[in-house]
Amino acid sequence: DGGITQSPKYLFRKEGQNVTLSCEQNLNHDAMYWYRQDPGQGLRLIYYSQIVNDFQKGDIAEGYSVSREKKESFPLTVTSAQKNPTAFYLCASSVAGTSGSYEQYFGPGTRLTVT
Amino acid sequence: GNSVTQMEGPVTLSEEAFLTINCTYTATGYPSLFWYVQYPGEGLQLLLKATKADDKGSNKGFEATYRKETTSFHLEKGSVQVSDSAVYFCALSGGGGADGLTFGKGTHLIIQP
């Protein structure tokens, strides 16, 4: 059963600690993405990777880091430098659809709460 | 840069009513356009898409037509059900490839029985 898994579903951390969110896909997609969702703000792109061992900053990369050592995995680390880390984090992957549309498929998300 | 504007919510309708959620966009080149749906506590699911002007995307009774002249991609459904209650996001992908989607802020739809 192909799809994207994110773990854990809920994560709690103390301020000042780094935390890593997991994202795994078995869809054989080349591209992977991390988005942050806040109430009333839609989704904002944090980082994306079009190929293994390469990634680019999105619109709100400050305070985050990623790695892409394997095609299937794209973990996101929320560092202590991120000012407002409490949010819902969504991972996605894509392959070029028909007509090169690059439709994205999303995981179930991880809700991070930092206190 | 690219941007997507969609109507603010919540939108509250009675079951079997006609639905329209407006979406307009600003983009360079020839973007692909998408509607995604999010149920409470879940990730996003692709609802429909259109890749070129005048294309109509459709799925589960929902439709949207890519209007280049008005830069719009309005979502419609002829008769909504309680199960359609969710948050709907309009999004676009730039013509450059797999560099991420630009999303609107989402419209919360509430259908009352």
Side-chain angles (χ1 to χ4, degrees):
Chain A
D1 206 6
I4 301 175
T5 57
Q6 292 185 245
S7 60
K9 190 168 179 63
Y10 299 96
L11 192 52
F12 299 88
R13 280 294 182 270
K14 295 290 188 186
E15 198 173 317
Q17 294 179 336
N18 292 354
V19 59
T20 297
L21 282 59
S22 167
C23 177
E24 304 278 332
Q25 56 100 357
N26 61 4
L27 299 168
N28 199 33
H29 287 172
D30 288 313
M32 297 186 74
Y33 311 82
W34 275 104
Y35 292 90
R36 170 183 171 135
Q37 185 178 20
D38 296 284
Q41 295 235 19
L43 277 71
R44 293 181 289 170
L45 183 64
I46 304 173
Y47 268 98
Y48 64 101
S49 168
Q50 297 186 2
I51 197 167
V52 173
N53 292 323
D54 188 42
F55 48 83
Q56 285 78 42
K57 293 181 179 180
D59 300 318
I60 56 165
E62 186 176 349
Y64 299 97
S65 65
V66 294
S67 63
R68 186 87 187 276
E69 297 176 2
K70 298 186 299 182
K71 187 175 185 178
E72 308 79 41
S73 179
F74 191 41
L76 173 75
T77 297
V78 184
T79 75
S80 56
Q82 168 50 232
K83 297 283 188 284
N84 294 297
T86 295
F88 191 47
Y89 290 87
L90 288 158
C91 180
S93 69
S94 77
V95 66
T98 56
S99 306
S101 59
Y102 290 98
E103 58 203 59
Q104 293 185 10
Y105 296 87
F106 284 81
T110 292
R111 187 166 298 280
L112 173 64
T113 302
V114 177
T115 58
Chain B
N2 296 339
S3 68
V4 175
T5 302
Q6 59 182 108
M7 57 195 296
E8 300 282 332
V11 172
T12 303
L13 296 172
S14 297
E15 203 165 22
E16 299 183 4
F18 184 86
L19 168 71
T20 300
I21 300 177
N22 291 336
C23 171
T24 57
Y25 67 90
T26 302
T28 55
Y30 302 94
S32 294
L33 301 174
F34 306 89
W35 277 101
Y36 282 86
V37 58
Q38 184 180 37
Y39 298 100
E42 297 183 7
L44 275 67
Q45 300 174 27
L46 179 64
L47 182 59
L48 54 83
K49 68 175 184 180
T51 58
K52 61 183 187 296
D54 300 325
D55 262 4
K56 178 186 280 189
S58 62
N59 187 26
K60 298 180 181 179
F62 291 91
E63 293 182 341
T65 301
Y66 188 161
R67 300 286 189 204
K68 190 165 171 55
E69 64 276 12
T70 54
T71 61
S72 65
F73 193 54
H74 305 321
L75 182 68
E76 297 182 335
K77 186 175 185 183
S79 176
V80 293
Q81 306 300 313
V82 171
S83 58
D84 293 327
S85 299
V87 180
Y88 292 81
F89 291 93
C90 185
L92 68 83
S93 70
D99 55 356
L101 299 179
T102 300
F103 284 86
K105 292 187 176 182
T107 301
H108 186 193
L109 176 65
I110 301 169
I111 307 301
Q112 296 178 334

